[in-house]
Amino acid sequence: MSVSTPRTRIKICGLTREADVDAAVQAGADAIGFVLYAPSPRAVTVARAAELARRLPPFVTPVLLFVNETAPNVIAACTQIPGATVQFHGDESPADCLAATDAGRRPFLRAARIPLTGDTLGLDLVEYAQRYSQAQAVLLDAHVEGYGGGGQTFNWSLLPPNVASHLVLSGGLTPANVTDGILQVRPRGLSLAVDVSSGVEATGPDGKPLKGIKDAGKIQRFVAAVRAADAQLASFTDV
């Protein structure tokens, strides 16, 4: 007898170009993230996000990332991009999230910023998930200076084993480490999705990521690594 294992959902974030949106869709991404936070090097305007989102086929979800934005501005952006999910990545309270999403009627993700150092998690994730229980999922990202994970991973082994929320693993994921991340984190929440940005970006002459410019080959390898993790998990359930 074999027990089915849910497919890990994939979000590619920080897209700024048509070619990259098309490459992510072709590779099998479930969601495409647009950063609506002006200080970010991957930021786009609402108008540009709407233009790019119109390229998405059915059942691929646009995700709009905000950092400490006002509820009226979030609502206004969402009117231009029908069907979008909202991602709150700043210091938004549960009340802030609900005010900007019609009391949670529009799906939203809430980012939890996980400290990078120490032998403890530094955040009560179980309590955090309870506070944001109306979020569709809690997104796990590294806590670095500013907002966003800065392409850094955190210690996945410190996550509690029993978070009563759907989880999205983010922060420093690459084609090389996402399989291990899924294997470690999948059992800890109700389900698991993954979110990648810098890990699939093109590399400049200096060897550093070209922020906002994706590499189609890296996207394909990332998706393949996620599917490899799913295959391993499925093999564990065979009895």
Side-chain angles (χ1 to χ4, degrees):
M1 178 180 177
S2 177
V3 179
S4 63
T5 300
R7 179 171 67 87
T8 302
R9 306 291 173 173
I10 301 170
K11 171 174 169 267
I12 311 294
C13 196
L15 278 78
T16 64
R17 307 188 305 170
E18 287 84 355
D20 297 336
V21 171
D22 295 347
V25 169
Q26 184 177 14
D30 301 282
I32 303 298
F34 302 111
V35 178
L36 301 180
Y37 176 55
S40 169
R42 302 178 181 91
V44 294
T45 65
V46 174
R48 179 60 172 155
E51 183 179 32
L52 292 170
R54 283 193 289 271
R55 303 181 71 84
L56 299 178
F59 312 125
V60 177
T61 303
V63 180
L64 310 182
L65 187 157
F66 297 95
V67 176
N68 300 331
E69 189 54 86
T70 65
N73 284 348
V74 173
I75 293 167
C78 291
T79 63
Q80 296 191 45
I81 306 174
T85 292
V86 176
Q87 179 176 326
F88 294 106
H89 218 95
D91 306 306
E92 299 88 355
S93 68
D96 293 333
C97 296
L98 294 177
T101 59
D102 191 19
R105 293 179 181 87
R106 178 177 292 278
F108 69 93
L109 312 175
R110 182 63 177 100
R113 303 166 71 198
I114 310 296
L116 288 171
T117 59
D119 56 2
T120 60
L121 191 62
L123 172 73
D124 187 339
L125 189 58
V126 172
E127 188 273 338
Y128 191 92
Q130 184 176 18
R131 285 183 61 215
Y132 292 94
S133 61
Q134 290 181 272
Q136 189 177 45
V138 172
L139 184 144
L140 310 174
D141 203 1
H143 190 166
V144 297
E145 185 177 354
Y147 297 97
Q152 301 295 311
T153 59
F154 60 92
N155 190 341
W156 303 321
S157 69
L158 297 178
L159 292 169
N162 57 342
V163 183
S165 175
H166 298 285
L167 301 177
V168 181
L169 180 60
S170 185
L173 295 180
T174 69
N177 68 10
V178 68
T179 296
D180 186 46
I182 292 170
L183 295 178
Q184 287 198 44
V185 180
R186 167 72 72 80
R188 300 172 186 268
L190 300 180
S191 72
L192 185 67
V194 292
D195 183 358
V196 65
S197 184
S198 62
V200 293
E201 285 181 328
T203 302
D206 59 359
K208 296 182 179 179
L210 296 173
K211 296 182 179 181
I213 307 300
K214 307 305 183 188
D215 181 305
K218 289 182 180 179
I219 292 175
Q220 292 171 356
R221 291 193 294 276
F222 185 86
V223 172
V226 173
R227 298 295 163 244
D230 287 347
Q232 287 191 50
L233 287 167
S235 71
F236 298 159
T237 63
D238 289 340
V239 294

